[in-house]
């Protein structure tokens, strides 16, 4: 039945159409889809949507029923629907839409028979759902409570059959069971009559093997992307356990899910890899049972390739191909204007291909390719329009002005619309053009001129002719001079750090603008992008490239590209940047001895300049940084990758590295080799600075400079000492096993004091004894001096200093050698219990003792000393230190500055009774920022200083007395002459009184004051 489509679907698109809109056939923008209508729905209307665009506006028809179904009736309206959209250009057919009615009737409420089983036996309670359409979900109610039967490993509700399965009945299971079914599509539930379950009294069921009552189908079909639910449940005693696996050898994927009873295996988002055999195993202690089934995945058709609109000329050929994928593979059919299209004499159809070799006007229309498998059908739509018209240049005229260059070529297009295709001829002016070597008439009607000269300029006319008419269109050709690179860049070698210029100059037609661009290794150089090294110089016909401070990574291909509106030229060059070589690689120590090491390495990057020389450096824990070492060969050329390092120290850990040099310079060093220790050897370096002496009587003390660790040459290092009395022929030998030892004491009662010995000190380690040092003369220990110095006296120098003097001592081996004198001093003050002492060395016969208390009696005695100790003391002498120097500093200091002369005045310092009398004054002065201080002494209370005033001066004044210098005044700063006017003076914060006109008394902190003359 064919009915008109409801006009309401067309209204939203009427306002979109205008008279200027291009003609085209209907195109669906909304198609009807499958609908399941609930019989209990409150909505009394079913609406199947179908909307299309087109010009003229399409109208609609339905195949199978109307679009809007009011008060739908299941028997009358159920079925399959399609929508046809039609305008003057043709008709298209929509996809098929199924209309179904969801419903759920009531159960027959007749009483169900009682099910009676033994305890321990399994049971199946049948649901028997009423007539319905639409998927059902099942639950069971126990004893009419609101609680549903809870599924577990013993109880299972199948969502396929609706039945309740109890694997092993227990006494608590006795009661009434009611099946409750729900149809979500129909929005309705129904409750069946109760089924009583009782226990038989004739005994308990014994153990038995599982019996699978719920089996998934032998073949289950699932759409790709959907979810699959496989059920499996068994009766048995004990209660069977359920497990799942794939029986085709594949493992279950992580996405599979089990419910809590494991009676259901759920596979969400089914994909092709989920297809295969599945196995459910039910087992208990009495045995096991297996259910198997196959999962087959199908896929709805999907387009890989659709047909497209075709606007072809009369007598042209049409080839359309559509391809779709799906499982099973789809088959193809074709429709024209909604009607099936079959192969005939003019039309060839093979699977998804439609061929019409020679089109005529009747072939115009709307075509559909239909790809269909057992699960769905899809439609691809396209319009074929066969056109017949005279030639027309209105939409694609000949280019009005074409520009070409001397020696080049140009193509002038001529592509009028025409159906059938027009025959093309060309004229230049009034001259008919014929094919030649330079003039080529292309197949698409265009005119190509090559090897152009100035004479080719002019007006060109294209003449198009077919059976419906003739059309002409013209355009002009302008010929200009070619662009030529006259000074191209050339290949160049550069050294790192240099700056180079790559020239690029052209000759060109003066009427065209030239644009220069440069590329480096295929990438365009952005001169505005902050590239510090690249700069484009020149203008108009010059586009040179300057590369400043060129680096290794600037090696490569540079291309100068010259672009005009007519043509482009380019010139490429290779720039090689040479630099010092990179670090050598894989430095290894192949062999190491006590003094040599054999090294090998691999070449690093030569940076475009061959390596000429390698050098080897070493580092130890005892060296300062890396040191160059001698090698064999002495000079290692760039082709050599092995050398022997010589003159190494035994038993020292070394690192080695290699440095390469080429004509550019020395490169970076290699990574250090592994840390390796040379083999041990007999030590060859003897101790130095062998000397000694001193010690006690009957002792010979020998000292030496220890040998550094790097020269010990091995483990077990120590010292060998050889000594004998001067003139003797027999050596005494001693061994010192300590590495750090630097002293040895030999004791023998037979040694006379201060006897000379010949001494040699050598070295040894576990490898053997090494070299001995040259012979040194060392004296044995001596006795203390035996006599006291004579003529001791003491003289007070100041309040804190006295001078102690004595007569020199003559000595012999019997009286004891004298190396110097020691002065001991103390006071008679009972509060000072500690005595002091000072020493002088050599033949000095006086010593000043400082740091004493003023006006105090001190006692002093003198004694001689040598290496054995001190001798007897001289008789004590006493002396009284002078009184303390004045404690008060000079006060009321005034100064005046005239030219380069400073005049100073101050008050005389009065001393206290316990202080020394003032004998005079010291003036200490220095330039600011200078450390050298000058001193002027005077007996007066005034002074004049003649100094150049290039800087500020700092001055202080102190008293002079027998007890020493007294306290200093605070430092006075006198500014340089240029910073003060004539007659400037300095005042302290406290001004006492004026001494004379223009003179002020000062103290401590000062500030400038300007006086009038």
């Amino acid at each position: 039945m064919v009915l008109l489509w409801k006009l309401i679907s067309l209204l939203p698109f009427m306002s979109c159409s205008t008279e200027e809109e291009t003609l085209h056939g209907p195109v669906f923008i909304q198609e009807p889809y499958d609908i399941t209508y609930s019989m209990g729905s409150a909505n009394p209307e079913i609406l199947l949507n179908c909307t299309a665009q087109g010009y003229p506006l399409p109208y609609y028809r339905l195949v199978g029923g109307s679009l809007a179904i009011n008060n739908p009736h299941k028997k009358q309206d159920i079925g399959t629907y399609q929508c046809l959209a039609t305008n003057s250009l043709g008709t298209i057919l929509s996809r098929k839409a199924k209309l179904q009615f969801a419903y759920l009737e009531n159960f027959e409420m007749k009483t169900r028979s009682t099910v009676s089983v033994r305890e321990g036996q399994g049971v199946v309670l049948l649901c028997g759902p009423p007539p319905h359409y639409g998927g059902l979900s099942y639950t069971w109610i126990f004893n009419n409570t609101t609680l549903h039967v809870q599924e577990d490993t013993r109880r299972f509700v199948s969502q396929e059959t609706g039945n309740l399965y109890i694997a092993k009945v227990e006494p608590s299971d006795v009661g009434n069971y009611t099946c409750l079914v729900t149809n979500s599509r129909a929005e309705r539930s129904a409750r069946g009559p109760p089924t009583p379950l009782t226990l038989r009294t004739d005994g308990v069921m014994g153990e038995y093997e599982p019996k699978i009552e719920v089996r998934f189908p032998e073949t289950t079909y699932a759409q790709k992307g959907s979810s699959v639910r496989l059920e499996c449940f068994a009766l048995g005693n004990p209660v069977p356990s359920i497990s799942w696996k794939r029986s085709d050898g594949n493992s279950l994927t992580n996405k599979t899910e089990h419910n809590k009873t494991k009676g259901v295996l759920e596979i969400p988002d089914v994909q092709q890899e989920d297809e295969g055999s599945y196995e459910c195993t039910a087992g208990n202690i009495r045995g096991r049972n297996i259910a198997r089934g196959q999962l087959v995945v199908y896929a709805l058709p999907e387009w890989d390739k659709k047909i497209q609109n075709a606007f072809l000329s009369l007598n042209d050929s049409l080839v359309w191909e559509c391809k779709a994928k799906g499982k099973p593979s789809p088959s193809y059919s074709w429709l024209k204007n909604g009607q099936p299209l079959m192969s005939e004499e003019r039309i060839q159809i093979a699977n998804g291909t439609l061929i019409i070799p020679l089109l005529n006007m009747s072939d115009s229309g709307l075509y559909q390719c239909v790809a269909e498998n057992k699960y769905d059908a899809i439609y691809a739509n396209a319009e074929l329009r066969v056109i017949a018209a005279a030639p027309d240049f209105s939409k694609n005229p000949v280019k009005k002005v074409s520009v070409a260059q001397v020696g080049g070529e140009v193509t002038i297009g001529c592509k009028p619309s025409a159906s059938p295709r027009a025959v093309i001829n060309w004229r230049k002016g009034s001259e008919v053009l014929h094919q030649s070597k330079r003039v080529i008439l292309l197949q698409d009607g265009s005119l190509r001129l090559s090897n152009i000269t100035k004479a080719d300029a002019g007006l060109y006319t294209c003449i198009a002719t077919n059976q419906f008419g003739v059309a002409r269109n013209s355009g002009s050709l302008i010929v200009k001079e070619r662009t030529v690179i006259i000074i191209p860049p050339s290949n160049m070698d550069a050294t790192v750090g240099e700056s180079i210029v790559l020239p690029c100059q052209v000759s060109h037609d003066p009427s065209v603008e030239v644009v220069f661009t440069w590329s480096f290794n295929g990438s365009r150089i952005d001169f505005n992008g902050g590239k510090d090294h690249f700069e484009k110089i020149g203008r108009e016909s010059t586009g040179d490239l300057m590369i400043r401070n060129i680096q290794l990574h600037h090696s490569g291909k540079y291309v100068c590209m010259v672009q005009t509106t007519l043509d482009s030229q380019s010139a490429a060059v290779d720039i090689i940047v040479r630099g010092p070589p990179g670090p050598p690689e894989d430095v290894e120590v192949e062999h190491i001895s006590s003094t040599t090491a054999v090294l090998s390495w691999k070449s690093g990057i030569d940076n475009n300049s061959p390596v000429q020389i390698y050098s080897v450096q070493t580092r130890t824990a005892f060296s300062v940084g890396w040191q160059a070492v001698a090698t064999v060969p002495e000079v290692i050329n760039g082709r050599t990758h092995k050398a022997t390092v010589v003159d190494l120290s035994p038993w020292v850990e070394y690192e080695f590295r290699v440095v390469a040099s080429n004509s550019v310079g020395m490169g970076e060093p290699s990574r250090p080799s592994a840390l390796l220790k040379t083999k041990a050897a007999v030590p060859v370096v003897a101790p130095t600075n062998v000397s000694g002496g001193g010690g006690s009587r009957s002792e010979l003390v020998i000292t030496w400079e220890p040998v550094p660790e790097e020269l010990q040459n091995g483990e077990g290092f120590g010292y060998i000492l050889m000594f004998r009395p001067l003139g003797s022929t027999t050596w005494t030998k001693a061994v010192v096993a300590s590495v750090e030892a630097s002293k040895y004491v030999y004791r023998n009662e037979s040694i006379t004091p201060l006897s000379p010995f010949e001494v040699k000190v050598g070295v040894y380690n576990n490898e053997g004894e090494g070299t001995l040092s040259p012979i040194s003369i060392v004296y044995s220990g001596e006795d203390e001096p035996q006599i006291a110095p004579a003529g001791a006296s003491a003289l007070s120098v100041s309040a804190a200093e006295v001078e102690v003097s004595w007569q020199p001592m003559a000595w012999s081996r019997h009286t004891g050698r004298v190396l110097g004198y020691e002065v001991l001093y103390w006071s008679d003050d009972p509060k000072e219990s500690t005595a002091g002492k000072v020493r002088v060395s050599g033949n000095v016969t006086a010593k000043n003792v400082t740091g004493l208390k003023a006006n105090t009696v001190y006692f002093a005695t003198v004694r001689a000393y040598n290496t054995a100790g001190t001798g007897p003391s001289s008789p004590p002498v006493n002396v009284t230190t002078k009184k303390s120097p004045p404690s008060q500093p000079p006060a009321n200091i005034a100064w005046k500055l005239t030219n380069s002369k400073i005049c100073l005045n101050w008050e005389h310092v009065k001393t206290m009774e316990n202080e020394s009398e003032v004998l005079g004054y010291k003036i200490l002065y220095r330039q600011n920022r200078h450390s050298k201080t000058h001193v002027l002494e005077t007996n007066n209370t005034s002074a004049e200083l003649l100094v150049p005033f290039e800087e500020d001066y700092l001055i202080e004044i102190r008293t002079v007395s027998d007890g020493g210098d007294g306290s200093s005044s605070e430092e006075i700063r006198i500014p340089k002459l240029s910073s003060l006017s004539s007659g400037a003076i300095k005042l302290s914060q406290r001004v006492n009184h004026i001494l004379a006109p223009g003179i002020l008394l000062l103290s401590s902190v000062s500030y400038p004051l300007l006086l009038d003359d």
Side-chain angles (χ1 to χ4, degrees):
M1 179 171 55
V2 179
L3 298 177
L4 288 179
W5 190 265
K6 221 170 151 59
L7 189 59
I8 191 169
S9 298
L10 183 62
L11 294 178
F13 299 95
M14 287 186 170
S15 60
C16 300
S17 302
T18 67
E19 295 181 359
E20 298 177 1
E21 188 171 349
T22 305
L23 290 170
H24 68 90
V27 177
F28 285 118
I29 58 174
Q30 189 177 30
E31 297 186 62
Y33 280 88
D34 295 347
I35 292 178
T36 301
Y37 177 77
S38 171
M39 294 289 292
S41 174
N43 184 2
E45 183 181 72
I46 297 173
L47 188 63
L48 294 172
N49 288 316
C50 179
T51 309
Q53 284 182 324
Y55 189 77
L57 288 172
Y59 62 92
Y60 305 88
R61 292 177 294 156
L62 270 180
V63 176
S66 64
L67 171 66
I69 304 175
N70 292 307
N71 300 314
H73 189 277
K74 180 166 71 75
K75 289 184 179 180
Q76 178 181 340
D77 297 321
I78 193 169
T80 301
Y81 292 76
Q82 279 184 287
C83 173
L84 287 87
T86 302
N87 69 5
S88 60
L89 297 176
T91 300
I92 55 174
L93 190 61
S94 75
R95 69 179 300 278
K96 295 177 182 179
K98 292 182 180 179
L99 173 60
Q100 299 283 355
F101 289 80
Y103 66 94
L104 174 63
E105 297 183 6
N106 291 322
F107 281 89
E108 291 184 10
M109 296 307 293
K110 70 178 182 178
T111 303
R112 295 196 175 189
S113 301
T114 299
V115 177
S116 184
V117 296
R118 291 190 181 95
E119 181 182 346
Q121 186 178 355
V123 68
V124 179
L125 301 181
L126 304 179
C127 178
H132 63 278
Y133 181 81
L136 300 182
S137 61
Y138 300 88
T139 55
W140 282 78
I141 299 172
F142 180 56
N143 285 339
N144 289 322
T145 64
T146 57
L147 299 177
H148 296 165
V149 173
Q150 297 298 311
E151 295 183 74
D152 52 25
T153 56
R154 198 169 62 83
R155 293 174 292 193
F156 179 74
V157 177
S158 170
Q159 296 302 317
E160 296 293 331
T161 65
N163 299 334
L164 170 63
Y165 300 83
I166 303 177
K168 174 188 172 186
V169 174
E170 297 177 351
S172 61
D173 295 326
V174 172
N176 291 321
Y177 290 84
T178 303
C179 180
L180 177 66
V181 298
T182 301
N183 186 331
S184 59
R185 287 291 186 92
E187 301 175 349
R188 189 172 184 280
S189 296
R191 180 185 292 199
T195 300
L197 175 65
T198 63
L199 286 181
R200 291 169 54 177
T201 60
D202 56 350
V204 177
M205 186 73 174
E207 294 181 350
Y208 65 96
E209 69 179 11
K211 179 184 179 184
I212 296 179
E213 288 290 344
V214 181
R215 294 174 178 266
F216 55 96
E218 290 185 5
T219 303
T220 300
Y221 294 93
Q223 182 181 337
K224 181 180 178 182
S226 67
S227 294
V228 170
R229 191 174 188 272
L230 304 180
E231 292 186 345
C232 179
F233 192 77
L235 311 183
N237 186 8
V239 174
S241 62
I242 305 294
S243 63
W244 292 86
K245 72 173 186 177
R246 290 189 63 162
S247 54
D248 55 9
N250 296 318
S251 57
L252 293 174
T253 59
N254 292 332
K255 68 180 179 180
T256 57
E257 303 172 357
H258 306 278
N259 69 357
K260 59 186 177 182
T261 68
K262 288 198 175 180
V264 176
L265 177 70
E266 293 189 30
I267 308 173
D269 188 24
V270 171
Q271 299 297 319
Q272 187 59 44
E273 59 266 21
D274 295 316
E275 185 173 273
S277 299
Y278 289 78
E279 181 177 295
C280 160
T281 302
N284 63 15
I285 58 176
R286 306 299 298 177
R288 65 192 191 112
N289 207 340
I290 298 175
R292 295 185 179 90
Q294 191 81 10
L295 175 63
V296 176
V297 179
Y298 69 86
L300 305 181
E302 291 182 77
W303 286 119
D304 281 336
K305 182 178 181 181
K306 294 182 179 182
I307 55 176
Q308 304 295 327
N309 292 339
F311 300 91
L312 301 175
S313 297
L314 188 68
N315 299 329
D316 280 353
S317 63
L318 169 72
V319 178
W320 262 335
E321 183 182 19
C322 59
K323 288 184 180 179
K325 59 185 176 183
K327 185 179 179 185
S329 295
S331 60
Y332 301 93
S333 60
W334 289 83
L335 303 174
K336 178 185 177 184
N337 293 327
Q339 299 299 318
L341 186 66
M342 303 297 179
S343 290
E344 57 182 61
E345 183 178 350
R346 293 182 53 257
I347 300 175
Q348 304 167 19
I349 296 176
N351 291 326
T353 303
L354 168 65
I355 301 174
I356 305 177
L358 191 66
L359 291 172
N360 60 39
M361 300 301 294
S362 65
D363 293 322
S364 293
L366 299 180
Y367 290 76
Q368 291 177 285
C369 175
V370 184
E372 183 175 11
N373 64 15
K374 64 186 291 186
Y375 298 106
D376 198 11
I378 54 176
Y379 294 74
N381 309 334
E383 178 183 350
L384 171 62
R385 194 178 302 175
V386 180
I387 302 168
D392 181 12
F393 285 96
S394 60
K395 292 184 179 179
N396 196 11
V398 174
K399 189 176 181 181
K400 291 304 177 187
V401 177
S402 298
V403 182
Q405 292 177 302
V406 173
E409 68 174 34
V410 68
T411 300
I412 305 174
C414 179
K415 297 177 181 178
S417 60
S419 181
R421 184 175 173 180
V423 176
I424 303 297
N425 291 292
W426 282 90
R427 291 176 181 268
K428 181 192 174 190
S430 59
E431 177 189 358
V432 176
L433 295 180
H434 299 285
Q435 188 103 349
S436 68
K437 289 183 177 180
R438 288 198 325 109
V439 179
I440 301 172
L441 302 177
L442 298 179
Q443 197 168 10
D444 66 354
S446 300
L447 173 65
R448 177 178 294 167
L449 304 175
S450 59
N451 195 19
I452 290 175
T453 65
K454 286 280 190 179
D456 291 322
L459 183 68
Y460 289 80
T461 301
C462 173
I463 304 169
T465 306
N466 72 4
Q467 65 214 59
F468 298 106
V470 179
R472 294 174 173 79
N473 205 245
S474 302
S476 297
L477 174 64
I478 299 173
V479 179
K480 298 194 176 186
E481 294 292 340
R482 294 177 57 207
T483 302
V484 179
I485 298 177
I486 55 174
I487 304 180
S490 58
N491 295 339
M492 186 181 299
D493 285 6
T495 302
V496 167
E498 289 182 344
S499 294
I500 64 172
V501 174
L502 303 181
C504 188
Q505 298 181 22
V506 300
S507 67
H508 60 94
D509 193 290
S511 64
V512 298
E513 183 181 354
V514 178
V515 177
F516 291 90
T517 58
W518 284 86
S519 67
F520 170 48
N521 288 338
S523 298
R524 181 170 176 171
I525 297 174
D526 180 7
F527 294 98
N528 299 319
K531 302 265 183 171
D532 295 335
H533 296 277
F534 297 117
E535 180 183 349
K536 187 163 67 175
I537 56 178
R539 56 184 180 179
E540 295 180 356
S541 300
T542 303
D544 299 348
L545 172 66
M546 172 175 278
I547 309 176
R548 301 181 185 275
N549 188 23
I550 198 167
Q551 298 299 308
L552 289 168
H553 62 266
H554 293 139
S555 292
K557 181 179 289 296
Y558 290 80
V559 178
C560 173
M561 291 165 284
V562 184
Q563 187 81 35
T564 69
T565 54
L566 302 176
D567 64 350
S568 63
Q569 299 290 331
S570 65
V573 293
D574 290 316
I575 302 300
I576 298 175
V577 182
R578 307 187 189 279
E585 299 174 350
D586 300 336
V587 177
E588 293 183 357
V589 181
E590 295 184 350
H591 177 265
I592 194 163
S593 69
S594 59
T595 59
T596 64
V598 178
L599 300 185
S600 66
W601 60 89
K602 294 179 182 177
S603 298
I605 301 172
D606 66 5
N607 291 330
N608 302 317
S609 180
V611 175
Q612 296 174 334
I613 293 175
Y614 289 103
S615 58
V616 180
Q617 298 174 347
T618 65
R619 180 172 65 182
T620 70
F622 315 108
S623 64
V624 179
W626 290 90
Q627 307 289 331
V629 289
T631 59
V632 176
E634 184 176 354
V635 177
I636 308 170
N637 65 46
R639 297 182 301 278
T640 302
H641 298 92
K642 180 181 285 190
T644 301
V645 182
V646 297
D647 298 336
L648 301 177
S649 295
W651 201 245
V652 172
E653 287 187 325
Y654 281 92
E655 289 178 287
F656 300 90
R657 72 181 187 184
V658 181
V659 182
S661 300
N662 59 15
S663 59
V664 180
M666 179 180 290
E668 292 292 320
S670 69
R671 291 179 179 270
S673 68
L675 197 64
L676 288 177
K677 182 180 283 189
T678 50
K679 299 185 182 303
V682 174
V684 295
V685 177
T688 58
N689 294 334
V690 176
S691 61
S696 303
R697 181 185 178 89
S698 304
E699 287 184 347
L700 174 64
V701 179
I702 303 172
T703 61
W704 62 91
E705 187 81 27
V707 174
E709 183 182 347
E710 64 266 29
L711 300 177
Q712 293 173 6
N713 291 9
E715 292 184 309
F717 182 83
Y719 297 94
I720 299 171
L721 292 96
M722 307 287 289
F723 52 90
R724 65 185 177 186
L726 186 62
S728 174
T729 59
T730 304
W731 291 94
T732 300
K733 181 178 181 181
V735 175
V736 179
S738 172
V739 173
E740 293 85 9
S742 61
K743 179 180 180 181
Y744 174 74
V745 179
Y746 172 68
R747 293 178 178 84
N748 193 313
E749 294 299 330
S750 65
I751 298 177
T752 58
L754 214 61
S755 298
F757 280 76
E758 291 182 314
V759 176
K760 297 188 290 185
V761 182
V763 288
Y764 74 94
N765 62 17
N766 290 347
E767 305 300 316
E769 294 183 2
T771 309
L772 290 166
S773 68
I775 293 175
S776 299
I777 303 300
V778 178
Y779 286 86
S780 62
E782 57 189 340
D783 285 334
E784 300 90 344
Q786 302 299 307
I787 58 175
S793 64
L795 175 65
S796 177
V797 177
S798 70
E801 183 177 3
V802 299
E803 180 188 72
V804 180
S805 59
W806 58 91
Q807 294 177 358
M809 287 177 57
W811 60 273
S812 66
R813 289 177 63 182
H814 301 294
T815 61
R817 182 172 59 150
V818 175
L819 294 180
Y821 300 91
E822 188 176 74
V823 178
L824 287 81
Y825 59 94
W826 66 96
S827 72
D828 61 353
D829 188 344
K831 295 180 181 178
E832 273 198 29
S833 58
T834 304
K837 65 180 179 180
V838 291
R839 278 190 171 188
V840 294
S841 60
N843 200 24
V844 177
T845 57
K847 176 62 178 175
N848 282 24
V849 180
T850 60
L852 304 177
K853 290 179 65 177
N855 199 24
T856 302
V857 176
Y858 280 90
F859 296 89
T861 184
V862 184
R863 59 188 179 186
Y865 72 87
N866 61 19
T867 59
T870 57
S873 298
S874 66
V877 296
N878 63 71
V879 64
T880 302
T881 54
K882 297 183 182 297
K883 292 181 180 181
S884 299
S887 58
Q888 294 297 318
N892 297 328
I893 303 170
W895 59 267
K896 182 176 181 181
L897 177 61
T898 304
N899 295 328
S900 295
K901 183 169 69 173
I902 303 173
C903 296
L904 294 166
N905 288 277
W906 61 92
E907 284 187 355
H908 177 69
V909 175
K910 295 180 180 181
T911 61
M912 301 176 69
E913 184 179 348
N914 62 343
E915 294 178 344
S916 299
E917 289 295 327
V918 176
L919 301 178
Y921 298 91
K922 283 183 182 178
I923 297 131
L924 294 83
Y925 59 97
R926 65 182 176 87
Q927 283 182 284
N928 188 28
R929 296 195 294 272
H930 287 67
S931 59
K932 185 178 179 182
T933 301
H934 304 276
V935 179
L936 174 65
E937 294 194 18
T938 179
N939 295 329
N940 302 316
T941 58
S942 62
E944 290 185 353
L945 300 177
L946 295 174
V947 291
F949 264 79
E950 299 168 353
E951 293 285 345
D952 294 359
Y953 266 85
L954 303 175
I955 297 176
E956 59 183 75
I957 304 172
R958 65 177 62 158
T959 56
V960 178
S961 69
D962 281 341
D965 291 352
S967 299
S968 295
S969 65
E970 290 192 13
E971 195 172 64
I972 302 168
R973 177 186 292 271
I974 299 178
K976 58 186 178 182
L977 191 61
S978 61
S979 65
L980 296 175
S981 63
S982 177
I985 67 170
K986 282 275 189 170
L987 290 181
S988 69
Q989 288 178 337
R990 179 168 49 87
V991 178
N992 292 340
H993 62 275
I994 298 177
L995 292 178
I999 304 294
L1000 294 180
L1001 293 178
L1002 321 165
S1003 67
S1004 74
V1005 181
S1006 52
Y1007 53 89
L1009 176 67
L1010 300 179
L1011 301 179
D1012 295 332
D1013 291 337

